Amino acid sequence: MTTNADIARTAMNDPAVQEQLHAAADRGRQAYCTTFTTYMGLLGSYTYFDSRFLNCNQEDWYSAFEFWNVTWMRCQILCCIVYTVLAFVVLLASLQLLSIIMLAVVSVVSLIVALIFAHLSWWCVVVNNGCCGNVGYFIWALIFLIDAIWLLGSGKGLLGLVYLILTISTAYLMVICWKLGAGSTARQIVTAVSTTRQSNAQQ
């Protein structure tokens, strides 16, 4: 008897199917890379303040996510510059030249990572509606939660306090993901866990 798994394995071994999958992957990569230019344009031209997006009830949650995502990235750039300058002054005063070089390298790398992260989250949520529907929103809500926890306990000392401003935009991004569908997924998970526990208790 032929099962669905057998059919899937046969299809995956078909050169024509593999070619179509590779073509689809190439189109996806091209689409992703193309939107990077669009995102860079948003960083330079998007409004710096809009009181509409301060509310926790929005008519367009995707526009709200885009605003706070761009704000998050701009704050990353600002905080990195302020932190790097202050740290540079402190290290220069004690003539820690090697540490100054490491500071510059770490600052550049952290900005690149932050930019990739910001663009990826924008691409997944705004451009592709979470990529995985409500599950995608739930995953991004968790990621932003982890980011907020990391910001609060990053261990950068007094100079690292400049990064606390990021918690505002991070909190808004979590709320938006929750409103978009993460909350629904969380409730489904809680219900499933509760049902499983009840079934195990009855056994």
Side-chain angles (χ1 to χ4, degrees):
M1 179 179 178
T2 302
T3 63
N4 291 335
D6 293 330
I7 296 174
R9 280 193 292 268
T10 302
M12 290 302 294
N13 292 327
D14 187 338
V17 173
Q18 292 180 357
E19 183 177 349
Q20 291 177 1
L21 290 174
H22 287 310
D26 289 337
R27 288 194 297 271
R29 283 192 292 268
Q30 291 173 2
Y32 175 78
C33 294
T34 300
T35 59
F36 193 84
T37 303
T38 303
Y39 186 77
M40 293 300 292
L42 289 175
L43 287 178
S45 62
Y46 210 88
T47 180
Y48 282 84
F49 178 77
D50 193 328
S51 59
R52 293 177 303 163
F53 299 126
L54 295 175
N55 299 323
C56 289
N57 291 309
Q58 298 289 331
E59 294 182 2
D60 185 355
W61 287 108
Y62 295 104
S63 294
F65 185 93
E66 185 172 79
F67 170 80
W68 284 109
N69 178 279
V70 171
T71 300
W72 182 90
M73 187 60 223
R74 285 172 172 171
C75 288
Q76 279 281 0
I77 296 172
L78 176 62
C79 290
C80 184
I81 292 173
V82 173
Y83 175 84
T84 302
V85 170
L86 293 176
F88 173 79
V89 172
V90 172
L91 294 173
L92 185 62
S94 55
L95 298 178
Q96 299 183 43
L97 300 181
L98 182 60
S99 296
I100 291 175
I101 295 174
M102 289 300 298
L103 172 67
V105 172
V106 170
S107 297
V108 171
V109 172
S110 64
L111 272 183
I112 293 174
V113 172
L115 181 59
I116 293 173
F117 174 80
H119 171 251
L120 180 61
S121 61
W122 172 82
W123 183 79
C124 287
V125 174
V126 178
V127 179
N128 288 285
N129 299 326
C131 284
C132 307
N134 289 347
V135 175
Y137 300 130
F138 179 77
I139 292 173
W140 279 110
L142 283 180
I143 292 174
F144 287 123
L145 175 61
I146 294 171
D147 180 59
I149 294 173
W150 180 84
L151 285 172
L152 294 173
S154 59
K156 290 187 175 183
L158 292 176
L159 295 181
L161 292 177
V162 297
Y163 279 93
L164 290 181
I165 192 175
L166 285 167
T167 57
I168 298 174
S169 52
T170 303
Y172 270 103
L173 289 169
M174 282 191 293
V175 171
I176 294 169
C177 286
W178 183 270
K179 293 288 188 177
L180 283 171
S184 177
T185 299
R187 286 188 288 271
Q188 290 175 1
I189 292 174
V190 170
T191 301
V193 171
S194 177
T195 302
T196 301
R197 286 182 176 178
Q198 291 177 359
S199 299
N200 293 337
Q202 291 175 357
Q203 292 177 358

